[in-house]
Amino acid sequence: MIAQASATLMDMFPDRFWICVGSGQMLNEGIVGKKWPTKDNRNEALKDAVHIMRELWRGKMVNYDKHFTVQNAKLYTLPPKPPVVV
């Protein structure tokens, strides 16, 4: 969902959009009651998420199954160029 939203914003506002990503905070997300993953695991998941988004922004069909399961995902509105990821 974030890859599609980012692609749409890049299309609407060329060269004026960038995305800042993070590995999450227990303060915000711990409320769901699940065991909070270690920082190393969250960093791995973050790298996977950014990898998936970058593949989608390049127009590739993505299948992935590690920290996230993605099946036959593809963006049909691509950004003119991928956004900067901070």
Side-chain angles (χ1 to χ4, degrees):
M1 290 173 46
I2 299 300
Q4 179 62 65
S6 299
T8 299
L9 287 168
M10 282 294 292
D11 193 45
M12 293 170 63
F13 306 106
D15 298 320
R16 293 187 285 163
F17 177 82
W18 51 272
I19 183 170
C20 186
V21 297
S23 62
Q25 299 177 30
M26 175 108 171
L27 176 67
N28 295 331
E29 300 171 21
I31 193 74
V32 298
K34 293 184 178 179
K35 183 179 181 234
W36 189 244
T38 66
K39 181 62 174 160
D40 287 340
N41 286 344
R42 294 192 329 266
N43 285 344
E44 278 184 40
L46 177 62
K47 288 178 186 176
D48 287 352
V50 171
H51 169 74
I52 291 166
M53 289 190 292
R54 286 184 169 147
E55 293 294 294
L56 289 167
W57 292 328
R58 289 185 180 101
K60 296 186 178 182
M61 175 77 69
V62 176
N63 289 290
Y64 197 85
D65 192 18
K66 190 175 176 187
H67 286 95
F68 306 98
T69 300
V70 180
Q71 296 178 337
N72 300 320
K74 182 176 174 143
L75 300 181
Y76 291 92
T77 300
L78 297 175
K81 64 180 182 182
V84 172
V85 178
V86 179

